[in-house]
Amino acid sequence: MSKTNKYAIGIDLGGTNIKIGIVSDKGKLIHSIITKTEAESGPKKVISNIINGIKEVLNKNKFKIKGIGIGCPGVVDTKKGIVESAPNLPGWKNIKLASIIKKELGYDVYVENDANAAAIGELIFGAGKKLNSFVMVTLGTGVGGGIVFKKKIYHGDFGAAGEIGHISIDVDGPQCNCGSTGCIEAYLGNQYLKHTVKAELPHHPESKIWSLIENDLSRVSPRIIQKALELGDEYSLAIVVRMGKQLGTALTTISNIMDISTFIIGGGVAGFGQPLLEATRETIYARVLLSMKDRIKVMPAKLKNEAGIKGASSLVFYKN
Amino acid sequence: MSKTNKYAIGIDLGGTNIKIGIVSDKGKLIHSIITKTEAESGPKKVISNIINGIKEVLNKNKFKIKGIGIGCPGVVDTKKGIVESAPNLPGWKNIKLASIIKKELGYDVYVENDANAAAIGELIFGAGKKLNSFVMVTLGTGVGGGIVFKKKIYHGDFGAAGEIGHISIDVDGPQCNCGSTGCIEAYLGNQYLKHTVKAELPHHPESKIWSLIENDLSRVSPRIIQKALELGDEYSLAIVVRMGKQLGTALTTISNIMDISTFIIGGGVAGFGQPLLEATRETIYARVLLSMKDRIKVMPAKLKNEAGIKGASSLVFYKN
């Protein structure tokens, strides 16, 4: 590979913002910008925002670019670079995103589901570099996932695989946005978690969360729980251990079905750190079938800030 | 393929019995025998019983045999034909089953996990013939599974994939033999099912099960429930619908993770027929992510009696 060819553009296409950056083949973010998605204005406007953003980044940087990678919240035909559907982007149905951008800018363009892009980011730049197979778990507003099997994303029959947030751990559990019940997203997703903690806090008057939120329940957030945890709050530790039990139960199912035994945990809620990772690992170890027990590993993601841009840029190095 | 090469030996190696038969490439069972496994006497004795059984079948039949397929209850290295572990066969640790039998009899020998062999049986001879991907579910003493992805068994990293009986649908559910809780095997496996029905029957004095068991609770069995169901017993229907809900919840998880949307249901309990299949399908349809709903199919297995022998024999036609 020539020295002038070591950079890629990574684009994290979200429902609210588009993040665009230049990343080296070592995973170093050189420069990035944020621009509004304007999703409500439809695909044409969004794509024009993406193209303008790329031009802006290119104008300010003289690196030779190998290609463009885009992580997109939806079902993607990665071979054709088509976004088949994207629930949070109105009007996105079979949008030929790769070919439109390639036509405009001339670079090779690779499109992936954003959770899969995060997994490829860890595979190429992060905690998954030396692994054959692992499941990337992204804990944030929702619970996302990407499954790497033998160094490749497992896409399933039609590209919709890896929806690990929608593993149900209780057939009669709480209602999930997806229509099912007891999905781990309905326990661990930010809104659900806040909801639970707000309801429980009055039963824990001793919790250090109270002073952090200045007695205002509307200020409960994962960040606040993390702070309380760092202050040694017992209730916060109990929350995190319960989350680990819930997550671990779901991940056990993945191991038993797919015989994949390494899990990389990323996303905002992963800020709960060791207590969460440890409770998750202990739960999987206790529950998984005997032949897999000793192979179970749970580790933190390496790409933290700008994991979205870096994951998207890694598509360029993964494909080639 | 020459006409004289259209037959295979299929061997269903169980903890109690070994079933051995000759099967045509159309899946027709020509002749079969049953012999005792004598598992407690260790691998040498079991393998000698297998070899003697094969010789007996070969002596009585003058078909030209293309190879030998063996379905085995355990984790198998299919490439090397090694049985790595088999919980119900004492002493089976890294047994080179294929090479031992090939050395003795001269035929090519293919070994697979028995649930995977059942899946390959449906792929080659049965309901999966025209399918690219499906999950084979075997409902019996346990709940077994084999995952066919793009016409091949999905083995996972170390050959232990497809343990769908150990998908937990309730983190706080009933204890399963495997050590976890809420596994669907702990609801649908024969012993668990009998246990539940025995406990519930006193609350259903009107059930037609009572007369079928002549008021003797020890006679409750899946076969009895099936008979009562055929007689229009409402409680039996409720049992079966609940089973479909439990099974469907677990299969939804497989679809959401693996993007595989067709399920083939076999094994003894599959005798519950349409009510079970329908409740399973309705549950998956209601719970699975939107992008997969319209692809969900649940169908009965085609190989009924001797599915074990036929599935094992299909390994010969699948590999070649």
Side-chain angles (χ1 to χ4, degrees), chain A residues 32-81:
Chain A
S32 68
I33 62 163
I34 296 187
T35 181
K36 289 273 167 234
T37 308
E38 300 180 284
E40 64 290 350
S41 304
K44 262 202 172 168
K45 181 65 181 167
V46 174
I47 293 171
S48 140
N49 289 342
I50 293 173
I51 289 170
N52 290 335
I54 297 172
K55 284 181 181 166
E56 187 186 330
V57 168
L58 288 174
N59 281 338
K60 289 199 189 132
N61 295 276
K62 296 302 160 204
F63 300 104
K64 191 162 177 202
I65 300 298
K66 190 174 165 66
I68 296 170
I70 305 176
C72 174
V75 178
V76 174
D77 179 334
T78 55
K79 280 192 184 138
K80 296 182 182 160

Side-chain angles (χ1 to χ4, degrees), chain B residues 145-168:
Chain B
I147 300 170
V148 172
F149 180 61
K150 298 190 175 170
K151 301 260 183 212
K152 296 279 171 195
I153 289 288
Y154 173 88
H155 281 111
D157 265 344
F158 294 91
E163 290 286 355
I164 68 171
H166 302 286
I167 297 173
S168 173

Side-chain angles (χ1 to χ4, degrees), chain A residues 133 157-158 162 181 257 259 287, chain B residues 133 157-158 162 181 257 259 287:
Chain A
S133 306
D157 265 345
F158 294 91
T181 54
I257 296 175
D259 189 4
R287 300 181 78 98
Chain B
S133 306
D157 265 344
F158 294 91
T181 53
I257 297 176
D259 190 3
R287 299 181 79 99

Side-chain angles (χ1 to χ4, degrees), chain B residues 83-294:
Chain B
V83 181
E84 294 181 344
S85 62
N88 297 324
L89 300 174
W92 285 63
K93 265 278 167 209
N94 299 315
I95 299 292
K96 296 177 179 170
L97 187 58
S99 64
I100 294 170
I101 294 180
K102 179 169 181 161
K103 202 171 169 189
E104 186 73 22
L105 297 172
Y107 296 102
D108 285 338
V109 180
Y110 308 92
V111 187
E112 245 296 5
N113 166 271
D114 51 2
N116 287 339
I120 296 171
E122 291 294 329
L123 176 71
I124 304 289
F125 299 139
K129 258 169 131 169
K130 292 180 182 167
L131 298 172
N132 256 320
S133 306
F134 63 88
V135 178
M136 171 76 202
V137 181
T138 305
L139 301 170
T141 310
V143 176
I147 300 170
V148 172
F149 180 61
K150 298 190 175 170
K151 301 260 183 212
K152 296 279 171 195
I153 289 288
Y154 173 88
H155 281 111
D157 265 344
F158 294 91
E163 290 286 355
I164 68 171
H166 302 286
I167 297 173
S168 173
I169 59 167
D170 186 354
V171 56
D172 298 312
Q175 187 69 39
C176 180
N177 266 337
C178 77
S180 187
T181 53
C183 297
I184 50 164
E185 183 162 302
Y187 298 94
L188 305 176
N190 281 349
Q191 293 306 322
Y192 299 96
L193 180 62
K194 277 191 231 177
H195 181 81
T196 304
V197 172
K198 278 187 208 173
E200 289 179 347
L201 255 183
H203 305 291
H204 299 274
E206 78 297 346
S207 169
K208 295 188 203 299
I209 293 177
W210 284 110
S211 62
L212 292 169
I213 59 173
E214 293 170 350
N215 295 324
D216 173 2
L217 277 178
S218 73
R219 295 178 61 185
V220 165
S221 73
R223 186 79 196 96
I224 290 283
I225 300 167
Q226 187 183 336
K227 273 191 186 163
L229 182 69
E230 286 160 5
L231 293 171
D233 181 45
E234 283 186 24
Y235 169 58
S236 297
L237 182 61
I239 296 171
V240 170
V241 167
R242 179 173 60 195
M243 291 173 70
K245 186 178 175 192
Q246 292 159 338
L247 181 59
T249 300
L251 301 185
T252 300
T253 285
I254 300 183
S255 288
N256 285 346
I257 297 176
M258 297 194 73
D259 190 3
I260 295 179
S261 44
T262 303
F263 300 92
I264 298 176
I265 317 290
V269 173
F272 293 158
Q274 274 310 314
L276 178 63
L277 299 182
E278 200 41 51
T280 304
R281 199 200 65 82
E282 276 173 14
T283 302
I284 306 175
Y285 186 85
R287 299 181 79 99
V288 79
L289 291 172
L290 190 61
S291 66
M292 274 174 276
K293 277 196 198 296
D294 290 331

